[in-house]
Amino acid sequence: MNSETRTAPLSAVPDQAVGAAAVHAVDLVKTYRPKGRGKARPEGVRALDGLSISVEPGIVFGLLGPNGAGKSTTVKILTTLAAADSGSAAVAGFDVRREPDKVRRAIGVVAQKSGADPVATGRDNLVLQGRLYGMRGAELTRRVDALLERFDLADAAGRQVKTYSGGMLRRLDVAIGLVHRPQVLFLDEPTTGLDPEARTAMWEEIERLAGAEGLTILLTTHYLEEADKLATRLAIVDRGRVVVQGTPDELKGELRGDALAVELSADAADELPVIGALGSVDGVRDITLHGRRVAARADDGAAAVPAVLAALDRIGLGVAAVTVARPSLDDVYLRYAGRSFSAAESTSVLEGAGR
Amino acid sequence: MSTAVVSDTWYMTQRQFMAFLRQPAYLIITLIQPVIWLFLFGALFRKVATIPGFGSGSYLDYLVPGVIVMSAVSSNMWAGMGTLEEIERGTLNRFLITPVRRSALMNANVVMQALTTAFQSVIIVLLGWIGGAHYPGGAAGLVVLIVASSVLGTIFGAFSNALGMLVRERESIIGINTFLLLPLTFLSSAFMATTLMPHWMQVVARFNPVNWALEAGRSAMAASPDWWSVFSHGSWLVLLAAAAVWLSMRTFRSYQKSV
């Protein structure tokens, strides 16, 4: 056993971490070898295939990808639970392989599976967690009380966790992850399995956390809207590697412009005049016509609308409705991963079933 | 061992102990089952004590150590189920992410198994006493019996944990346990003096750890204790317990690698 002393992790911001990336992973590779049964893939499943990310301190960083893309494996490696076959990673300035104990003191984790002891009460779970980080006495009691209050669990604190609703359990999980005031919080699919109401509440909670105390949050999700709403920066992961990263707006901005959808008041007799008329408007392209529906891309959708209406009016076509849509992350995913998000989801479900 | 290991072990044991107390159904079954063994077998085999060569005066006197040891085996051989549940629920991973000393997680299992087995054994001693059993070896004999059954419980608990982490299937644990419990019990002096067994059974019983615990306990509980038998059987038990705990630590490490 090492003789390293336990320091109270309350103001623990190591010098190395200041200014450096909160999470820095380079070329992570991890293969899971099947054990005994299920010899469908004797070579193993390559969960990570050279994944690299860098997360600056104080932001919410989203890892977005379908099930089986390698998000959870990344979290397991970064939280010292699993070891990568190759590549290196540092969290809060500490190497996950060489200094796991320092990493553990600097991070909080909300895993996909709750991990809370269902037979113990909510308060017991929090107190035990604090003790494992060396917190004791009145200071621990105050911290636990504050967390119970903050996550709206004060009334249920004395009840066994198995009586909690899904939303309460998730809030408790987040509280457990925060007891020792970590610098980096990992949220591994925090809203999967929650009902819409509880999901919205969890989103608000994450937004509130993001503003506080310079906490860095690494969030994994397979919900496009969740990544879009919460992440300051995000990396799209597919088949064990990052296919693209940036801010949600940057990623969507890289798609060529907004989607413009025009609904005509009557069927156009011929498509050529429509395409000609719209093509003459500056910045509008990729025009297609299906019956009454005209779809096009525009560099600045909102600005193009009056000119589009005027152009259609000139050739005598009335317009029933116009909508302008910013590109969605789904479009981004399609472009970089080469398949649509929902298609990737269903493939990985099939792959997962064989495991 | 550093103080952190001791305090971590204490907190993890406390958690398991609270879980034990908070599940009254489990607690009650742990207490009722030995009662059933005691009175069922006590009534069924009462006449056995009259067989020439059996030795003991009352069958209840003879039966108490048997039930204690059988209960130690049957309650601890399910330990792997709890471990499996902790793995599946994500509780084990939650602890592995904290700075808790790894050895504390396994220590807590061992301490908990030994404590609950000792507790259960004391209850059976008291029940036997209420039922009219005599303990000629006095307190020292009873202490040896309880310690021996706790060590035996640790052996089966550790093997069960190792099995749970290796195969990760409830069915395997259930299968092996139901397969092992009765043969191991009947191939020992739990219900029948070994001198009355067929020769081959006597030979097998000599290598049966369940019988080691019984021999150690019975030798100490006799009116004139045979301390050499206590020592030799006790040593084998402790050695096997060390091996079992070592094995469960190894499988624990292999679990960590497979995460």
Side-chain angles (χ1 to χ4, degrees):
Chain A
M1 234 351 96
N2 60 35
S3 59
E4 182 197 345
T5 51
R6 302 192 142 201
T7 48
L10 296 171
S11 58
V13 180
D15 297 338
Q16 302 98 299
V18 177
V23 177
H24 191 72
V26 182
D27 258 341
L28 294 178
V29 174
K30 173 91 180 169
T31 304
Y32 285 105
R33 281 170 223 300
K35 271 182 135 186
R37 277 145 301 189
K39 294 191 180 70
R41 295 186 191 190
E43 78 285 0
V45 179
R46 206 171 179 85
L48 291 184
D49 189 16
L51 181 136
S52 302
I53 50 168
S54 192
V55 181
E56 61 191 272
I59 66 164
V60 178
F61 187 92
L63 270 185
L64 172 68
N67 288 323
K71 305 183 301 287
S72 284
T73 308
T74 307
V75 170
K76 281 179 182 166
I77 291 170
L78 294 176
T79 57
T80 75
L81 205 49
D85 300 338
S86 67
S88 65
V91 177
F94 302 115
D95 187 290
V96 293
R97 196 187 297 267
R98 281 180 289 116
E99 304 164 293
D101 216 55
K102 287 183 176 151
V103 171
R104 286 171 191 143
R105 284 172 193 287
I107 61 170
V109 182
V110 179
Q112 267 181 53
K113 287 184 191 166
S114 163
D117 184 345
V119 186
T121 65
R123 176 182 293 279
D124 287 349
N125 270 291
L126 287 166
V127 168
L128 175 63
Q129 190 77 3
R131 282 176 174 162
L132 297 181
Y133 286 92
M135 298 169 77
R136 299 287 185 269
E139 183 236 326
L140 175 58
T141 312
R142 272 199 306 276
R143 179 67 179 155
V144 168
D145 285 340
L147 285 168
L148 287 168
E149 195 62 48
R150 170 172 180 183
F151 287 95
D152 203 14
L153 292 167
D155 293 337
R159 271 164 46 196
Q160 290 188 335
V161 169
K162 62 183 176 192
T163 66
Y164 283 23
S165 71
M168 289 165 78
L169 183 58
R170 227 67 265 259
R171 294 206 300 278
L172 177 67
D173 290 334
V174 177
I176 287 175
L178 288 171
V179 173
H180 58 294
R181 297 192 171 87
Q183 294 165 247
V184 183
L185 181 67
F186 290 85
L187 298 170
D188 194 1
E189 304 201 355
T191 63
T192 300
L194 292 185
D195 59 63
E197 203 180 325
R199 171 171 302 163
T200 311
M202 184 54 71
W203 282 355
E204 282 166 12
E205 195 50 61
I206 295 169
E207 279 175 333
R208 231 185 308 162
L209 282 173
E213 302 157 29
L215 182 71
T216 309
I217 298 179
L218 194 147
L219 167 86
T220 79
T221 180
H222 64 264
Y223 296 120
L224 296 155
E225 48 172 337
E226 185 165 298
D228 203 2
K229 185 170 168 59
L230 297 174
T232 325
R233 284 183 69 79
L234 64 93
I236 294 181
V237 186
D238 189 50
R239 299 182 179 103
R241 26 187 337 137
V242 172
V243 287
V244 62
Q245 55 179 317
T247 67
D249 281 337
E250 271 169 23
L251 293 182
K252 289 182 292 191
E254 276 184 39
L255 288 175
R256 300 184 310 139
D258 300 338
L260 199 62
V262 180
E263 172 119 19
L264 301 174
S265 46
D267 279 356
D270 189 1
E271 65 178 46
L272 279 178
V274 176
I275 292 173
L278 291 185
S280 69
V281 179
D282 254 3
V284 174
R285 57 183 177 273
D286 297 351
I287 305 148
T288 54
L289 177 69
H290 296 286
R292 292 185 184 184
R293 292 176 169 277
V294 185
R297 292 236 162 239
D299 291 336
D300 185 341
V305 169
V308 165
L309 293 179
L312 290 171
D313 191 46
R314 271 199 297 278
I315 57 169
L317 288 172
V319 170
V322 183
T323 50
V324 177
R326 297 278 295 138
S328 70
L329 282 177
D330 211 354
D331 299 328
V332 179
Y333 188 84
L334 176 63
R335 169 155 171 213
Y336 289 99
R339 48 184 176 160
S340 84
F341 198 84
S342 49
E345 280 278 54
S346 52
T347 329
S348 65
V349 168
L350 288 177
E351 283 169 4
R355 224 179 293 161
Chain B
M1 282 210 284
S2 71
T3 51
V5 177
V6 177
S7 60
D8 282 353
T9 302
W10 162 244
Y11 294 129
M12 298 314 283
T13 309
Q14 197 184 30
R15 176 183 84 90
Q16 294 201 20
F17 195 69
M18 290 309 289
F20 180 70
L21 291 184
R22 282 198 180 112
Q23 286 169 294
Y26 182 73
L27 193 66
I28 288 166
I29 289 169
T30 317
L31 295 182
I32 285 184
Q33 202 175 31
V35 179
I36 295 174
W37 292 143
L38 264 186
F39 293 103
L40 201 67
F41 287 128
L44 182 65
F45 296 137
R46 194 163 45 88
K47 290 247 164 59
V48 169
T50 61
I51 298 174
F54 187 80
S56 187
S58 119
Y59 189 66
L60 190 64
D61 290 7
Y62 186 82
L63 185 62
V64 169
V67 171
I68 284 178
V69 165
M70 184 183 182
S71 303
V73 173
S74 71
S75 54
N76 283 291
M77 65 186 356
W78 300 105
M81 300 287 263
T83 306
L84 260 182
E85 213 179 292
E86 302 253 282
I87 290 176
E88 283 166 11
R89 211 194 291 128
T91 313
L92 186 56
N93 281 356
R94 168 190 155 200
F95 291 133
L96 288 174
I97 291 168
T98 72
V100 70
R101 294 296 178 281
R102 275 44 196 159
S103 49
L105 295 174
M106 290 313 277
N107 289 348
N109 283 338
V110 173
V111 173
M112 186 62 199
Q113 279 150 13
L115 279 181
T116 47
T117 313
F119 171 70
Q120 193 185 36
S121 305
V122 168
I123 298 288
I124 301 170
V125 165
L126 290 176
L127 286 173
W129 179 71
I130 292 168
H134 300 90
Y135 305 123
L142 289 173
V143 168
V144 170
L145 174 69
I146 290 167
V147 170
S149 69
S150 303
V151 176
L152 185 72
T154 306
I155 292 172
F156 279 89
F159 274 130
S160 181
N161 276 327
L163 185 70
M165 277 188 269
L166 272 181
V167 298
R168 307 256 196 101
E169 271 176 11
R170 290 184 161 69
E171 292 77 5
S172 306
I173 298 181
I174 295 171
I176 289 185
N177 286 0
T178 34
F179 174 74
L180 279 182
L181 178 62
L182 288 182
L184 280 178
T185 312
F186 285 114
L187 285 168
S188 76
S189 66
F191 302 123
M192 176 62 77
T194 39
T195 46
L196 295 177
M197 289 178 182
H199 178 70
W200 69 267
M201 281 178 93
Q202 293 185 23
V203 174
V204 175
R206 230 173 279 155
F207 297 95
N208 180 358
V210 176
N211 200 46
W212 299 343
L214 278 164
E215 288 300 324
R218 290 197 198 285
S219 305
M221 289 173 74
S224 49
D226 174 357
W227 292 111
W228 167 248
S229 164
V230 172
F231 175 76
S232 58
H233 289 109
S235 305
W236 284 117
L237 272 181
V238 171
L239 277 178
L240 186 61
V245 171
W246 175 81
L247 180 74
S248 74
M249 296 226 178
R250 283 297 303 266
T251 53
F252 184 55
R253 257 174 240 144
S254 85
Y255 165 76
Q256 282 179 267
K257 288 209 181 96
S258 74
V259 173

